[in-house]
Amino acid sequence: MATSSGTFEKECAEFEAKVKRTVFVDNLSPQVTKKVIETAFSQFGTVLSIELISNHIESNSTPMCYLVEMENPNQARSVIEDTRNLPFMICGMPRPIRVQKAKAEMFGDRPHAPDRKIPFRWIGPNDADFKVAQEMKCLVKRQTAEASLLLKMQMVEERKLAEKHDEMLKSNYQKYQMIEDILNDGSLRRLARQYKIKLSD
């Protein structure tokens, strides 16, 4: 029993260290992948692991949540402070991500005491709490439907903004390409001679 207790204490210490160097990231577009997150967060330090927190709402437009484990607590603090001070967007989506300290409850692999017991009971139709449970179930369904609708509307707006963003980028690229072409093919020098303008001016 002493060995089991010692092993559990060691697991707890290792887990607490992991929690301190991990950040919780949410409000991410469903288009964001682990690879994208790793690339984005690598500018703050070394990313050790990325874990998707499963979302049980049946909606493809549900924002994604991740646990991002950095190399040390200092890097985790840096991520939180920097993203708090400046809006940080991933994949060009007009949706600033939110970053906060991770909590032990967010991890599916957190250690549990060997003698832990979870009390539960079945609620039947004749139980005093059955009506309350039914009302809660209906409330959850309604809130899930409302949240799903709001997220779909948000995704439509994000797609529109993303399309405008792409159009602006293409337009600016074409302008700079045209300027570069004029500089390279000698048109600028010919125009300068035609209008007697010194390029140095």
Side-chain angles (χ1 to χ4, degrees), residues 57-156:
I57 296 176
E58 295 180 3
S59 170
N60 294 329
S61 58
T62 302
M64 309 292 276
C65 304
Y66 284 93
L67 289 169
V68 182
E69 182 186 357
M70 305 301 290
E71 190 174 31
N72 57 60
N74 290 335
Q75 291 180 3
R77 279 193 294 271
S78 176
V79 174
I80 294 168
E81 289 170 6
D82 290 349
T83 53
R84 184 181 295 152
N85 295 331
L86 295 169
F88 190 66
M89 289 176 261
I90 296 180
C91 275
M93 299 303 289
R95 177 194 289 188
I97 66 169
R98 293 187 295 251
V99 183
Q100 58 182 294
K101 291 180 181 178
K103 298 178 181 177
E105 299 79 27
M106 297 174 176
F107 294 79
D109 62 344
R110 62 186 182 275
H112 299 293
D115 56 348
R116 186 182 72 140
K117 293 180 181 178
I118 301 175
F120 71 93
R121 67 186 178 91
W122 294 104
I123 298 177
N126 298 326
D127 197 294
D129 294 328
F130 184 76
K131 185 179 178 182
V132 175
Q134 288 289 90
E135 289 175 356
M136 284 184 67
K137 186 177 178 181
C138 291
L139 182 62
V140 169
K141 281 186 177 179
R142 190 177 72 197
Q143 289 180 339
T144 300
E146 290 173 355
S148 180
L149 177 61
L150 287 171
L151 288 168
K152 284 178 183 175
M153 292 170 64
Q154 185 180 7
M155 287 295 290
V156 169

Side-chain angles (χ1 to χ4, degrees), residues 136-189:
M136 284 184 67
K137 186 177 178 181
C138 291
L139 182 62
V140 169
K141 281 186 177 179
R142 190 177 72 197
Q143 289 180 339
T144 300
E146 290 173 355
S148 180
L149 177 61
L150 287 171
L151 288 168
K152 284 178 183 175
M153 292 170 64
Q154 185 180 7
M155 287 295 290
V156 169
E157 291 300 317
E158 285 184 2
R159 274 194 289 271
K160 288 179 182 176
L161 287 169
E163 286 170 5
K164 286 182 182 178
H165 181 69
D166 287 341
E167 288 174 10
M168 286 178 62
L169 285 175
K170 288 176 184 176
S171 175
N172 288 333
Y173 173 77
Q174 289 171 354
K175 288 176 185 176
Y176 285 114
Q177 188 65 49
M178 183 178 68
I179 292 169
E180 190 174 345
D181 291 343
I182 291 172
L183 288 170
N184 292 336
D185 66 8
S187 298
L188 186 62
R189 287 191 294 275

Side-chain angles (χ1 to χ4, degrees), residues 29-48:
S29 167
Q31 299 171 2
V32 175
T33 62
K34 285 186 177 182
K35 188 64 181 173
V36 170
I37 291 178
E38 183 179 1
T39 302
F41 279 76
S42 290
Q43 63 186 297
F44 300 103
T46 304
V47 178
L48 297 182

Side-chain angles (χ1 to χ4, degrees), residues 8 11 52-53 70 96 113 117 140 159 191 201:
F8 176 66
E11 287 179 4
L52 170 67
I53 296 181
M70 305 301 290
K117 293 180 181 178
V140 169
R159 274 194 289 271
L191 287 169
D201 295 337

